[in-house]
PDB file of all heavy atoms in Angstrom:
ATOM      1  N   PHE A  26     -11.861 -22.374  37.690  1.00  0.00           N
ATOM      2  CA  PHE A  26     -11.040 -21.639  36.739  1.00  0.00           C
ATOM      3  C   PHE A  26      -9.818 -22.335  36.417  1.00  0.00           C
ATOM      4  O   PHE A  26      -9.006 -22.656  37.298  1.00  0.00           O
ATOM      5  CB  PHE A  26     -10.799 -20.223  37.242  1.00  0.00           C
ATOM      6  CG  PHE A  26      -9.820 -19.395  36.385  1.00  0.00           C
ATOM      7  CD1 PHE A  26     -10.319 -19.050  35.042  1.00  0.00           C
ATOM      8  CD2 PHE A  26      -8.621 -19.095  36.708  1.00  0.00           C
ATOM      9  CE1 PHE A  26      -9.493 -18.359  34.254  1.00  0.00           C
ATOM     10  CE2 PHE A  26      -7.740 -18.340  35.839  1.00  0.00           C
ATOM     11  CZ  PHE A  26      -8.231 -17.978  34.602  1.00  0.00           C
ATOM     12  N   ARG A  27      -9.678 -22.694  35.186  1.00  0.00           N
ATOM     13  CA  ARG A  27      -8.523 -23.381  34.665  1.00  0.00           C
ATOM     14  C   ARG A  27      -8.104 -22.684  33.294  1.00  0.00           C
ATOM     15  O   ARG A  27      -8.637 -22.960  32.282  1.00  0.00           O
ATOM     16  CB  ARG A  27      -8.756 -24.769  34.377  1.00  0.00           C
ATOM     17  CG  ARG A  27      -9.221 -25.658  35.601  1.00  0.00           C
ATOM     18  CD  ARG A  27      -8.000 -25.851  36.600  1.00  0.00           C
ATOM     19  NE  ARG A  27      -8.458 -26.718  37.668  1.00  0.00           N
ATOM     20  CZ  ARG A  27      -8.959 -26.289  38.809  1.00  0.00           C
ATOM     21  NH1 ARG A  27      -9.262 -25.056  38.974  1.00  0.00           N
ATOM     22  NH2 ARG A  27      -9.360 -27.012  39.789  1.00  0.00           N
ATOM     23  N   PRO A  28      -7.068 -21.805  33.371  1.00  0.00           N
ATOM     24  CA  PRO A  28      -6.744 -21.141  32.120  1.00  0.00           C
ATOM     25  C   PRO A  28      -6.283 -22.010  31.045  1.00  0.00           C
ATOM     26  O   PRO A  28      -6.227 -21.677  29.872  1.00  0.00           O
ATOM     27  CB  PRO A  28      -5.633 -20.220  32.638  1.00  0.00           C
ATOM     28  CG  PRO A  28      -5.120 -20.737  33.903  1.00  0.00           C
ATOM     29  CD  PRO A  28      -6.227 -21.444  34.492  1.00  0.00           C
ATOM     30  N   GLU A  29      -5.649 -23.195  31.375  1.00  0.00           N
ATOM     31  CA  GLU A  29      -5.355 -24.100  30.360  1.00  0.00           C
ATOM     32  C   GLU A  29      -6.521 -24.619  29.413  1.00  0.00           C
ATOM     33  O   GLU A  29      -6.242 -25.257  28.310  1.00  0.00           O
ATOM     34  CB  GLU A  29      -4.566 -25.402  30.896  1.00  0.00           C
ATOM     35  CG  GLU A  29      -5.400 -26.204  31.926  1.00  0.00           C
ATOM     36  CD  GLU A  29      -5.219 -25.752  33.302  1.00  0.00           C
ATOM     37  OE1 GLU A  29      -4.843 -24.520  33.524  1.00  0.00           O
ATOM     38  OE2 GLU A  29      -5.605 -26.491  34.210  1.00  0.00           O
ATOM     39  N   ASN A  30      -7.697 -24.349  29.844  1.00  0.00           N
ATOM     40  CA  ASN A  30      -8.850 -24.745  29.015  1.00  0.00           C
ATOM     41  C   ASN A  30      -9.051 -23.715  27.914  1.00  0.00           C
ATOM     42  O   ASN A  30     -10.134 -23.861  27.170  1.00  0.00           O
ATOM     43  CB  ASN A  30     -10.075 -24.891  29.887  1.00  0.00           C
ATOM     44  CG  ASN A  30      -9.999 -26.170  30.601  1.00  0.00           C
ATOM     45  OD1 ASN A  30      -9.377 -27.163  30.306  1.00  0.00           O
ATOM     46  ND2 ASN A  30     -10.728 -26.191  31.837  1.00  0.00           N
ATOM     47  N   VAL A  31      -8.273 -22.699  27.799  1.00  0.00           N
ATOM     48  CA  VAL A  31      -8.440 -21.780  26.666  1.00  0.00           C
ATOM     49  C   VAL A  31      -8.385 -22.446  25.386  1.00  0.00           C
ATOM     50  O   VAL A  31      -7.551 -23.393  25.270  1.00  0.00           O
ATOM     51  CB  VAL A  31      -7.497 -20.627  26.785  1.00  0.00           C
ATOM     52  CG1 VAL A  31      -6.033 -21.159  26.619  1.00  0.00           C
ATOM     53  CG2 VAL A  31      -7.732 -19.543  25.788  1.00  0.00           C
ATOM     54  N   MET A  32      -9.171 -22.049  24.366  1.00  0.00           N
ATOM     55  CA  MET A  32      -9.167 -22.644  23.008  1.00  0.00           C
ATOM     56  C   MET A  32      -8.879 -21.667  21.982  1.00  0.00           C
ATOM     57  O   MET A  32      -9.429 -20.505  22.106  1.00  0.00           O
ATOM     58  CB  MET A  32     -10.433 -23.408  22.774  1.00  0.00           C
ATOM     59  CG  MET A  32     -10.688 -24.648  23.739  1.00  0.00           C
ATOM     60  SD  MET A  32     -12.196 -25.533  23.117  1.00  0.00           S
ATOM     61  CE  MET A  32     -11.607 -26.256  21.677  1.00  0.00           C
ATOM     62  N   GLY A  33      -8.203 -22.000  20.943  1.00  0.00           N
ATOM     63  CA  GLY A  33      -7.855 -21.132  19.881  1.00  0.00           C
ATOM     64  C   GLY A  33      -8.942 -21.299  18.775  1.00  0.00           C
ATOM     65  O   GLY A  33      -9.240 -22.442  18.455  1.00  0.00           O
ATOM     66  N   VAL A  34      -9.567 -20.217  18.293  1.00  0.00           N
ATOM     67  CA  VAL A  34     -10.523 -20.332  17.269  1.00  0.00           C
ATOM     68  C   VAL A  34     -10.432 -19.227  16.263  1.00  0.00           C
ATOM     69  O   VAL A  34     -10.104 -18.038  16.629  1.00  0.00           O
ATOM     70  CB  VAL A  34     -11.967 -20.191  17.974  1.00  0.00           C
ATOM     71  CG1 VAL A  34     -12.154 -18.951  18.810  1.00  0.00           C
ATOM     72  CG2 VAL A  34     -13.138 -20.209  16.893  1.00  0.00           C
ATOM     73  N   TYR A  35     -10.665 -19.511  14.994  1.00  0.00           N
ATOM     74  CA  TYR A  35     -10.701 -18.534  13.927  1.00  0.00           C
ATOM     75  C   TYR A  35     -12.105 -18.138  13.785  1.00  0.00           C
ATOM     76  O   TYR A  35     -12.898 -18.926  13.402  1.00  0.00           O
ATOM     77  CB  TYR A  35     -10.022 -19.008  12.690  1.00  0.00           C
ATOM     78  CG  TYR A  35      -8.578 -19.130  12.716  1.00  0.00           C
ATOM     79  CD1 TYR A  35      -7.943 -20.393  12.818  1.00  0.00           C
ATOM     80  CD2 TYR A  35      -7.768 -17.998  12.545  1.00  0.00           C
ATOM     81  CE1 TYR A  35      -6.556 -20.472  12.872  1.00  0.00           C
ATOM     82  CE2 TYR A  35      -6.349 -18.001  12.499  1.00  0.00           C
ATOM     83  CZ  TYR A  35      -5.775 -19.319  12.670  1.00  0.00           C
ATOM     84  OH  TYR A  35      -4.374 -19.396  12.679  1.00  0.00           O
ATOM     85  N   LEU A  36     -12.418 -16.778  13.998  1.00  0.00           N
ATOM     86  CA  LEU A  36     -13.749 -16.309  13.842  1.00  0.00           C
ATOM     87  C   LEU A  36     -13.983 -15.714  12.459  1.00  0.00           C
ATOM     88  O   LEU A  36     -13.078 -15.059  11.921  1.00  0.00           O
ATOM     89  CB  LEU A  36     -14.082 -15.271  14.867  1.00  0.00           C
ATOM     90  CG  LEU A  36     -14.044 -15.803  16.356  1.00  0.00           C
ATOM     91  CD1 LEU A  36     -14.449 -14.644  17.224  1.00  0.00           C
ATOM     92  CD2 LEU A  36     -15.029 -16.979  16.494  1.00  0.00           C
ATOM     93  N   PRO A  37     -15.177 -15.920  11.883  1.00  0.00           N
ATOM     94  CA  PRO A  37     -15.424 -15.485  10.423  1.00  0.00           C
ATOM     95  C   PRO A  37     -15.711 -13.935  10.354  1.00  0.00           C
ATOM     96  O   PRO A  37     -16.695 -13.469  11.137  1.00  0.00           O
ATOM     97  CB  PRO A  37     -16.553 -16.337  10.016  1.00  0.00           C
ATOM     98  CG  PRO A  37     -17.345 -16.546  11.333  1.00  0.00           C
ATOM     99  CD  PRO A  37     -16.328 -16.554  12.420  1.00  0.00           C
ATOM    100  N   TYR A  38     -15.091 -13.324   9.563  1.00  0.00           N
ATOM    101  CA  TYR A  38     -15.459 -11.940   9.232  1.00  0.00           C
ATOM    102  C   TYR A  38     -15.451 -11.733   7.702  1.00  0.00           C
ATOM    103  O   TYR A  38     -14.889 -12.599   6.986  1.00  0.00           O
ATOM    104  CB  TYR A  38     -14.409 -10.978   9.848  1.00  0.00           C
ATOM    105  CG  TYR A  38     -14.545 -10.751  11.301  1.00  0.00           C
ATOM    106  CD1 TYR A  38     -13.962 -11.738  12.133  1.00  0.00           C
ATOM    107  CD2 TYR A  38     -15.221  -9.661  11.893  1.00  0.00           C
ATOM    108  CE1 TYR A  38     -14.146 -11.555  13.638  1.00  0.00           C
ATOM    109  CE2 TYR A  38     -15.320  -9.414  13.268  1.00  0.00           C
ATOM    110  CZ  TYR A  38     -14.800 -10.363  14.029  1.00  0.00           C
ATOM    111  OH  TYR A  38     -14.847 -10.206  15.370  1.00  0.00           O
ATOM    112  N   MET A  39     -15.943 -10.604   7.239  1.00  0.00           N
ATOM    113  CA  MET A  39     -15.654 -10.128   5.827  1.00  0.00           C
ATOM    114  C   MET A  39     -15.028  -8.756   5.987  1.00  0.00           C
ATOM    115  O   MET A  39     -15.424  -7.973   6.727  1.00  0.00           O
ATOM    116  CB  MET A  39     -16.998 -10.208   5.084  1.00  0.00           C
ATOM    117  CG  MET A  39     -17.391 -11.469   4.645  1.00  0.00           C
ATOM    118  SD  MET A  39     -18.582 -11.572   3.249  1.00  0.00           S
ATOM    119  CE  MET A  39     -20.088 -11.504   4.241  1.00  0.00           C
ATOM    120  N   THR A  40     -14.002  -8.622   5.087  1.00  0.00           N
ATOM    121  CA  THR A  40     -13.409  -7.286   4.926  1.00  0.00           C
ATOM    122  C   THR A  40     -14.090  -6.573   3.767  1.00  0.00           C
ATOM    123  O   THR A  40     -14.385  -7.258   2.734  1.00  0.00           O
ATOM    124  CB  THR A  40     -11.951  -7.296   4.759  1.00  0.00           C
ATOM    125  OG1 THR A  40     -11.579  -7.980   3.485  1.00  0.00           O
ATOM    126  CG2 THR A  40     -11.241  -8.031   5.822  1.00  0.00           C
ATOM    127  N   VAL A  41     -14.391  -5.257   3.941  1.00  0.00           N
ATOM    128  CA  VAL A  41     -15.111  -4.636   2.761  1.00  0.00           C
ATOM    129  C   VAL A  41     -14.352  -3.266   2.489  1.00  0.00           C
ATOM    130  O   VAL A  41     -14.067  -2.497   3.433  1.00  0.00           O
ATOM    131  CB  VAL A  41     -16.542  -4.442   3.119  1.00  0.00           C
ATOM    132  CG1 VAL A  41     -16.769  -3.678   4.424  1.00  0.00           C
ATOM    133  CG2 VAL A  41     -17.295  -3.635   2.038  1.00  0.00           C
ATOM    134  N   ASP A  42     -14.099  -3.003   1.295  1.00  0.00           N
ATOM    135  CA  ASP A  42     -13.594  -1.675   0.830  1.00  0.00           C
ATOM    136  C   ASP A  42     -14.838  -0.972   0.260  1.00  0.00           C
ATOM    137  O   ASP A  42     -15.612  -1.542  -0.551  1.00  0.00           O
ATOM    138  CB  ASP A  42     -12.500  -1.795  -0.303  1.00  0.00           C
ATOM    139  CG  ASP A  42     -11.357  -2.631   0.190  1.00  0.00           C
ATOM    140  OD1 ASP A  42     -11.002  -2.601   1.404  1.00  0.00           O
ATOM    141  OD2 ASP A  42     -10.781  -3.381  -0.626  1.00  0.00           O
ATOM    142  N   GLY A  43     -14.897   0.309   0.631  1.00  0.00           N
ATOM    143  CA  GLY A  43     -16.073   1.116   0.218  1.00  0.00           C
ATOM    144  C   GLY A  43     -15.759   2.387  -0.467  1.00  0.00           C
ATOM    145  O   GLY A  43     -14.911   3.209   0.012  1.00  0.00           O
ATOM    146  N   ASN A  44     -16.447   2.541  -1.638  1.00  0.00           N
ATOM    147  CA  ASN A  44     -16.455   3.909  -2.259  1.00  0.00           C
ATOM    148  C   ASN A  44     -17.792   4.539  -1.860  1.00  0.00           C
ATOM    149  O   ASN A  44     -18.780   4.167  -2.475  1.00  0.00           O
ATOM    150  CB  ASN A  44     -16.328   3.681  -3.810  1.00  0.00           C
ATOM    151  CG  ASN A  44     -16.367   5.029  -4.520  1.00  0.00           C
ATOM    152  OD1 ASN A  44     -16.257   6.118  -3.916  1.00  0.00           O
ATOM    153  ND2 ASN A  44     -16.730   5.017  -5.824  1.00  0.00           N
ATOM    154  N   VAL A  45     -17.783   5.444  -0.903  1.00  0.00           N
ATOM    155  CA  VAL A  45     -19.003   5.837  -0.246  1.00  0.00           C
ATOM    156  C   VAL A  45     -19.225   7.325  -0.305  1.00  0.00           C
ATOM    157  O   VAL A  45     -18.192   8.140  -0.159  1.00  0.00           O
ATOM    158  CB  VAL A  45     -18.831   5.341   1.257  1.00  0.00           C
ATOM    159  CG1 VAL A  45     -20.136   5.853   2.117  1.00  0.00           C
ATOM    160  CG2 VAL A  45     -18.729   3.871   1.368  1.00  0.00           C
ATOM    161  N   SER A  46     -20.502   7.706  -0.297  1.00  0.00           N
ATOM    162  CA  SER A  46     -20.869   9.193  -0.269  1.00  0.00           C
ATOM    163  C   SER A  46     -21.916   9.210   0.892  1.00  0.00           C
ATOM    164  O   SER A  46     -22.686   8.311   1.125  1.00  0.00           O
ATOM    165  CB  SER A  46     -21.546   9.632  -1.518  1.00  0.00           C
ATOM    166  OG  SER A  46     -20.643   9.594  -2.545  1.00  0.00           O
ATOM    167  N   ALA A  47     -21.756  10.284   1.785  1.00  0.00           N
ATOM    168  CA  ALA A  47     -22.577  10.372   2.930  1.00  0.00           C
ATOM    169  C   ALA A  47     -23.072  11.885   3.041  1.00  0.00           C
ATOM    170  O   ALA A  47     -22.367  12.848   2.587  1.00  0.00           O
ATOM    171  CB  ALA A  47     -21.974   9.983   4.229  1.00  0.00           C
ATOM    172  N   ARG A  48     -24.351  12.054   3.648  1.00  0.00           N
ATOM    173  CA  ARG A  48     -24.861  13.301   3.860  1.00  0.00           C
ATOM    174  C   ARG A  48     -25.243  13.307   5.277  1.00  0.00           C
ATOM    175  O   ARG A  48     -26.086  12.374   5.794  1.00  0.00           O
ATOM    176  CB  ARG A  48     -25.960  13.766   2.970  1.00  0.00           C
ATOM    177  CG  ARG A  48     -26.652  15.038   3.380  1.00  0.00           C
ATOM    178  CD  ARG A  48     -27.713  15.473   2.327  1.00  0.00           C
ATOM    179  NE  ARG A  48     -28.492  16.610   2.965  1.00  0.00           N
ATOM    180  CZ  ARG A  48     -29.187  17.487   2.258  1.00  0.00           C
ATOM    181  NH1 ARG A  48     -29.379  17.289   0.921  1.00  0.00           N
ATOM    182  NH2 ARG A  48     -29.827  18.465   2.777  1.00  0.00           N
ATOM    183  N   LEU A  49     -24.851  14.331   6.076  1.00  0.00           N
ATOM    184  CA  LEU A  49     -25.252  14.503   7.532  1.00  0.00           C
ATOM    185  C   LEU A  49     -25.950  15.813   7.727  1.00  0.00           C
ATOM    186  O   LEU A  49     -25.363  16.867   7.247  1.00  0.00           O
ATOM    187  CB  LEU A  49     -24.041  14.380   8.318  1.00  0.00           C
ATOM    188  CG  LEU A  49     -23.080  13.173   8.305  1.00  0.00           C
ATOM    189  CD1 LEU A  49     -21.855  13.407   9.166  1.00  0.00           C
ATOM    190  CD2 LEU A  49     -23.838  11.967   8.529  1.00  0.00           C
ATOM    191  N   ASP A  50     -27.061  15.857   8.292  1.00  0.00           N
ATOM    192  CA  ASP A  50     -27.777  17.092   8.602  1.00  0.00           C
ATOM    193  C   ASP A  50     -28.090  17.080  10.071  1.00  0.00           C
ATOM    194  O   ASP A  50     -28.536  16.155  10.652  1.00  0.00           O
ATOM    195  CB  ASP A  50     -29.126  17.084   7.891  1.00  0.00           C
ATOM    196  CG  ASP A  50     -29.026  17.189   6.334  1.00  0.00           C
ATOM    197  OD1 ASP A  50     -28.725  18.296   5.820  1.00  0.00           O
ATOM    198  OD2 ASP A  50     -29.114  16.104   5.661  1.00  0.00           O
ATOM    199  N   GLY A  51     -27.816  18.305  10.612  1.00  0.00           N
ATOM    200  CA  GLY A  51     -28.090  18.432  12.083  1.00  0.00           C
ATOM    201  C   GLY A  51     -28.175  19.926  12.531  1.00  0.00           C
ATOM    202  O   GLY A  51     -28.296  20.802  11.727  1.00  0.00           O
ATOM    203  N   VAL A  52     -27.955  20.093  13.834  1.00  0.00           N
ATOM    204  CA  VAL A  52     -28.004  21.404  14.454  1.00  0.00           C
ATOM    205  C   VAL A  52     -26.764  21.590  15.363  1.00  0.00           C
ATOM    206  O   VAL A  52     -26.380  20.788  16.069  1.00  0.00           O
ATOM    207  CB  VAL A  52     -29.240  21.458  15.417  1.00  0.00           C
ATOM    208  CG1 VAL A  52     -29.245  22.907  16.145  1.00  0.00           C
ATOM    209  CG2 VAL A  52     -30.488  21.362  14.572  1.00  0.00           C
ATOM    210  N   GLY A  53     -26.039  22.688  15.154  1.00  0.00           N
ATOM    211  CA  GLY A  53     -24.860  23.006  15.865  1.00  0.00           C
ATOM    212  C   GLY A  53     -25.122  24.256  16.729  1.00  0.00           C
ATOM    213  O   GLY A  53     -25.895  25.145  16.317  1.00  0.00           O
TER     214      GLY A  53
END
């Protein structure tokens, strides 16, 4: 274990804005 071997990396993501409609059916 050598913490100095840590590496900085930029990981790829996409941000998404959503105009969304949803329907949920269940039992309460």
